[in-house]
Amino acid sequence: MVLVDREQRVLFANESFCRARGVQRVESIGKKLVDLLGAGVPENAPMLEALSGALAGAVGGGAEGRLSGLRLADRPAHGAERTDRIVDVHISAVGGSDRRALVAIADITEYWRAQEEVIREKRKLNDMVQATGAGLCLVDRNRRVIWANRVFLQWFGDPAGRSCFQVFR
């Protein structure tokens, strides 16, 4: 969590944010938020531009917003390889005439990677099933065909929610 002012300078940063960014809390105060999020990495420019625009809207007009699935290129100070972090940003306007924005940044990289892995495995399974040459289908508890492979569709046509008894006639 980070609290920023109209100029998008950090007023407060919690311990989790500082640990994730590799900075001490006292070092983060007064810095521009985008500088703490990798402004020196060219790949980050579109994400940081979107974030700056959303923050300007929040502190200027009071709009709340969310930026999801933004890719943030990380270049750790210790010289390790670049890693991509996927962040989910929630922005809430706070304050009266002196508007500020509360920014919650969640690192959802592992979730994103797991989701991509599931998609890859699903494609592999689908490719194997399509290559068998057998007509296969999945039937739910109500005996309706909920999935069919290409061979099944060629043999029986589109089941379109019909029961397996209707399809096999």
Side-chain angles (χ1 to χ4, degrees):
M1 296 283 258
V2 182
L3 183 65
V4 297
D5 63 13
R6 282 184 185 269
E7 288 79 38
Q8 301 175 23
R9 295 197 183 281
V10 175
L11 300 173
F12 170 82
N14 71 357
E15 195 62 39
S16 297
F17 175 84
C18 293
R19 196 172 331 120
R21 304 305 331 141
V23 296
Q24 297 293 320
R25 188 178 295 178
V26 73
E27 295 171 7
S28 66
I29 306 302
K31 288 191 176 179
K32 298 259 304 176
L33 178 60
V34 294
D35 292 338
L36 292 172
L37 294 175
V41 181
E43 299 93 39
N44 288 343
M47 190 279 283
L48 297 175
E49 189 175 311
L51 179 59
S52 286
L55 284 168
V59 294
E64 294 192 8
R66 178 178 178 182
L67 302 171
S68 294
L70 298 171
R71 289 194 181 267
L72 173 64
D74 242 349
R75 295 233 171 98
H78 53 77
E81 284 187 32
R82 180 175 76 85
T83 59
D84 287 327
R85 292 185 184 272
I86 313 301
V87 295
D88 210 20
V89 182
H90 297 269
I91 301 168
S92 301
V94 293
S97 59
D98 184 23
R99 305 217 33 102
R100 298 175 179 150
L102 183 62
V103 183
I105 301 174
D107 184 351
I108 58 172
T109 304
E110 289 306 314
Y111 170 79
W112 192 279
R113 287 181 183 154
Q115 194 174 31
E116 288 176 342
E117 182 64 25
V118 167
I119 291 168
R120 277 193 299 277
E121 292 300 317
K122 184 178 176 184
R123 283 189 192 127
K124 283 183 198 175
L125 177 61
N126 192 43
D127 290 347
M128 289 186 330
V129 167
Q130 298 298 351
T132 63
L136 301 171
C137 70
L138 289 178
V139 178
D140 68 9
R141 291 182 188 173
N142 298 323
R143 298 185 183 99
R144 299 218 179 271
V145 177
I146 58 172
W147 176 87
N149 72 348
R150 186 175 31 239
V151 175
F152 183 93
L153 295 173
Q154 289 171 350
W155 290 351
F156 297 101
D158 185 8
R162 296 181 291 162
S163 72
C164 60
F165 303 114
Q166 295 169 327
V167 173
F168 296 136
R169 279 191 183 172

